Amino acid sequence: ETGVTQSPTHLIKTRGQQVTLRCSSQSGHNTVSWYQQALGQGPQFIFQYYREEENGRGNFPPRFSGLQFPNYSSELNVNALELDDSALYLCASSSGIREQYFGPGTRLTVT
Amino acid sequence: DAKTTQPTSMDCAEGRAANLPCNHSTISGNEYVYWYRQIHSQGPQYIIHGLKNNETNEMASLIITEDRKSSTLILPHATLRDTAVYYCIVSRLNTGTASKLTFGTGTRLQVTL
């Protein structure tokens, strides 16, 4: 148990729809990073939020966007879903430069 | 960030030491070596990290060669619960915030009776 929670656990969406995934960071952590993990692959960095501001972005299109709230929880939004967006979405929280603590992930299936 | 190379899979008998190698020949002077593992259907779990000195914690030991071009993660007494995919990651330590981790495909460690 890392204290990082994600919701929902699973969901199924149709191509073209929009989805919002949520992450509650561990108490005291001010940084949240989001990763996408396709089946059989390692996680790929999407973006990071630090004190409510985006602090770095990986090679993902603008239809992937996020927010961080004053309590440091975070959302990942994906617009115009594509079949290739089917993956496990992981968030990780951290404090300063210390190690990252990952949540259990949200399994998104796009049909 | 520097690229890492790991074996695709390894086996280890329960109770024996598991030694997981990682090559990172293009590592820069300000890049750290991190190890995470991912047990099936769970999020990755931090294990250990180091710059150039060997490191040990309650989970594992990290041995980094003097030229820093390779490292070995050692699980001293592997158990069935250590069966997982192990990722070796090289990343700069950011100023103030966590590093952006670049995961490869890792080493699948199977611990057997």
Side-chain angles (χ1 to χ4, degrees):
Chain A
E1 288 286 332
T2 62
V4 179
T5 61
Q6 293 186 242
S7 63
T9 305
H10 299 85
L11 75 165
I12 300 172
K13 290 286 190 178
T14 303
R15 191 171 50 184
Q17 287 188 315
Q18 178 266 342
V19 69
T20 297
L21 310 181
R22 294 178 175 82
C23 172
S24 291
S25 57
Q26 190 174 103
S27 177
H29 285 185
N30 56 19
T31 304
V32 173
S33 304
W34 286 91
Y35 294 81
Q36 179 196 65
Q37 185 172 24
L39 204 60
Q41 303 296 316
Q44 301 300 305
F45 175 74
I46 303 175
F47 45 56
Q48 181 182 89
Y49 278 83
Y50 171 62
R51 294 184 175 177
E52 303 179 57
E53 297 288 331
E54 187 177 292
N55 182 46
R57 187 178 184 91
N59 189 27
F60 281 81
R63 60 190 184 83
F64 285 77
S65 63
L67 282 173
Q68 187 179 32
F69 300 100
N71 66 355
Y72 301 133
S73 65
S74 179
E75 287 183 355
L76 164 66
N77 299 289
V78 187
N79 294 321
L81 283 167
E82 301 177 359
L83 296 179
D84 284 349
D85 296 332
S86 295
L88 180 68
Y89 288 85
L90 297 156
C91 77
S93 78
S94 54
S95 175
I97 61 174
R98 295 179 61 81
E99 62 269 19
Q100 298 181 43
Y101 293 88
F102 284 80
T106 293
R107 173 73 61 188
L108 171 65
T109 301
V110 182
T111 62
Chain B
D1 295 333
K3 181 179 170 57
T4 62
T5 303
Q6 298 178 253
T8 303
S9 64
M10 294 182 65
D11 292 330
C12 179
E14 189 176 36
R16 305 297 294 266
N19 297 287
L20 290 87
C22 179
N23 286 322
H24 32 78
S25 59
T26 61
I27 191 170
S28 300
N30 62 350
E31 289 182 315
Y32 282 68
V33 179
Y34 292 83
W35 284 84
Y36 282 75
R37 72 180 182 182
Q38 188 171 24
I39 296 169
H40 184 61
S41 298
Q42 298 181 21
Q45 176 190 23
Y46 167 82
I47 302 173
I48 199 167
H49 75 280
L51 182 62
K52 55 184 178 180
N53 297 320
N54 297 339
E55 302 287 345
T56 296
N57 63 19
E58 65 278 4
M59 288 183 68
S61 295
L62 174 60
I63 308 299
I64 303 174
T65 58
E66 192 168 342
D67 63 7
R68 301 208 324 122
K69 292 185 177 182
S70 65
S71 60
T72 301
L73 178 74
I74 301 172
L75 307 178
H77 305 287
T79 70
L80 296 178
R81 286 179 293 183
D82 292 321
T83 293
V85 177
Y86 287 77
Y87 296 99
C88 169
I89 301 164
V90 170
S91 185
R92 286 184 300 113
L93 203 62
N94 280 352
T95 301
T97 63
S99 301
K100 288 82 170 173
L101 302 176
T102 302
F103 290 80
T105 51
T107 295
R108 184 172 298 279
L109 176 69
Q110 180 70 51
V111 180
T112 57
L113 290 172

